[in-house]
Amino acid sequence: MTTFGFIRHGNTDWNIEKRVQGQADVPLNETGRRQAQALAARLAGETWDALISSDLSRARETAEIVGRTLGHQVRTDARLREQGYGQLEGLLEQECVDTWGTSWALTGPEVESRDDVLARGMAAVEELAVEFPDSRILVVSHGDTLCGLFNYMLGRQELAALHNTSFSLIGYDNKKWRVDLLNCNSHLIGEPGR
């Protein structure tokens, strides 16, 4: 069985401001770096065989912080990027609601379809399972992308949001998914805003 440790990137200023990030290359803030360090400390005693990240800086830096602690280089894959929101990126979520209604994430201009996000994300993950059979792989990505992947793996629409630097543990064996841990952020106990 291949085991995936999925991580959502650390906090950014746009997370705090409730701005649509999408594929805008927004960096981690200091809170996000502390969150990544806390997660790295939580993972320090575990064995992981590979560390793969979205190429956007907030995910890549989260992965690099974890990688320094675990002794891994980070490999990036653009297919793990966040859903693209086109001209909505940078706007406040409330501005999107005021203009396009509560379904802005589905109907806004130039929004990448959730099906396309799922297809590229699953292709990346399934290729990793083939490349690293019977291994333990850390994957750092983004909230909407990971929610789509997890909902597909669970076979139901259950998740709409993930905590920053949340950790999810999911096994893959014979084209079947097994969820062992979902959206865990126990490493952030005492973190402001949690």
Side-chain angles (χ1 to χ4, degrees):
M1 176 176 20
T2 300
T3 300
F4 288 92
F6 289 102
I7 300 167
R8 182 185 177 204
H9 65 78
N11 206 350
T12 71
D13 288 343
W14 282 21
N15 286 136
I16 294 168
E17 296 166 5
K18 297 194 181 298
R19 289 192 183 277
V20 178
Q21 292 183 110
Q23 295 184 5
D25 203 11
V26 182
L28 291 180
N29 59 25
E30 286 308 311
T31 298
R33 290 181 186 98
R34 284 194 309 274
Q35 290 171 330
Q37 290 164 351
L39 178 60
R42 181 249 185 250
L43 296 173
E46 298 181 9
T47 300
W48 293 93
D49 301 303
L51 177 55
I52 317 298
S53 174
S54 156
D55 61 340
L56 296 176
S57 64
R58 60 191 181 270
R60 190 180 64 247
E61 186 178 1
T62 300
E64 288 167 349
I65 291 168
V66 170
R68 280 194 295 272
T69 297
L70 301 180
H72 279 288
Q73 294 293 314
V74 177
R75 186 173 93 190
T76 61
D77 188 329
R79 295 175 297 176
L80 296 169
R81 282 184 170 201
E82 181 60 290
Q83 181 173 0
Y85 286 103
Q87 63 185 275
L88 303 181
E89 293 177 8
L91 297 178
L92 296 171
E93 290 177 11
Q94 189 59 53
E95 292 174 314
C96 295
V97 170
D98 293 345
T99 304
W100 291 282
T102 55
S103 64
W104 64 268
L106 298 174
T107 61
E110 303 172 8
V111 173
E112 180 182 17
S113 78
R114 291 185 177 178
D115 287 343
D116 288 348
V117 176
L118 177 61
R120 66 175 163 79
M122 284 306 300
V125 169
E126 288 173 348
E127 284 176 24
L128 289 170
V130 170
E131 181 180 354
F132 298 100
D134 300 318
S135 299
R136 293 171 52 85
I137 307 164
L138 290 172
V139 175
V140 184
S141 188
H142 306 267
D144 290 344
T145 300
L146 290 173
C147 280
L149 293 175
F150 297 162
N151 287 333
Y152 173 81
M153 293 169 184
L154 291 166
R156 57 190 184 274
Q157 297 299 308
E158 185 171 292
L159 283 175
L162 296 171
H163 303 291
N164 289 103
T165 65
S166 67
F167 183 73
S168 299
L169 196 60
I170 299 179
Y172 181 74
D173 189 25
N174 199 23
K175 299 193 180 203
K176 293 182 182 163
W177 298 97
R178 185 187 78 224
V179 179
D180 295 321
L181 184 66
L182 195 61
N183 198 23
C184 178
N185 66 342
S186 62
H187 57 279
L188 296 179
I189 293 172
E191 178 71 37
R194 290 279 168 216

